[in-house]
Amino acid sequence: MDRTDTNASARGFTLIELLIVVAIIGLVAAIAVPGLLRARLSANEASAIGSLRAISSAQTNFASVAGRGGFAGSLTTLARPCPGGSSPFLSPDLSSDPSTKSGYVVALAAAAASTPGSNDCNGVATETAFYATAVPQSVGATGQRGFATSGSGAIFVENAGTAPTEAEMLPGGGGTPLR
């Protein structure tokens, strides 16, 4: 065998070099994955907060335009336009009750202290108060905190992943408003 044949067979990576490269890639992945998971949880929580803000705004618009001062008792009611209108009060991604969006279950109901109000533009009874919640589908996997809002428009947070109760959201109720 001459010298040129030896150099031709020595080209490429050795097994040790390949194992080192794989180990480095594994180390980088081990460092990056937890950060990506935290970013996903944070994005899901931001989406849940946005959904509750959209519900609060939709309820305000509904009360002034269609509800004769009353609030919708469900997300499906907010997702319907008035007769002759083309725009619902809430986007289609929140049109079922409850709705699942970005790892959170979003729900709307009449508040415990609510009483039936007059009928809206579609003939559905309105409510004098509402309570909307957003809780993670799987605490720790799709979200860490639970959220809730009511007619005040303030969003409250519960770090355990459950929705703050209506009582916690009252003045002096001990709930934590979102800052």
Side-chain angles (χ1 to χ4, degrees), residues 12 22 39 79 103 133 153:
V22 169
T133 61

Side-chain angles (χ1 to χ4, degrees), residues 48 51 55 74-76 79 90-108 133-137:
S51 294
I55 290 169
S74 70
L75 293 174
T76 54
L90 199 57
S91 65
D93 60 344
L94 292 171
S95 64
S96 63
D97 208 356
S99 289
T100 302
K101 182 179 176 190
S102 298
Y104 271 76
V105 178
V106 181
L108 172 65
T133 61
V135 293
Q137 284 179 301

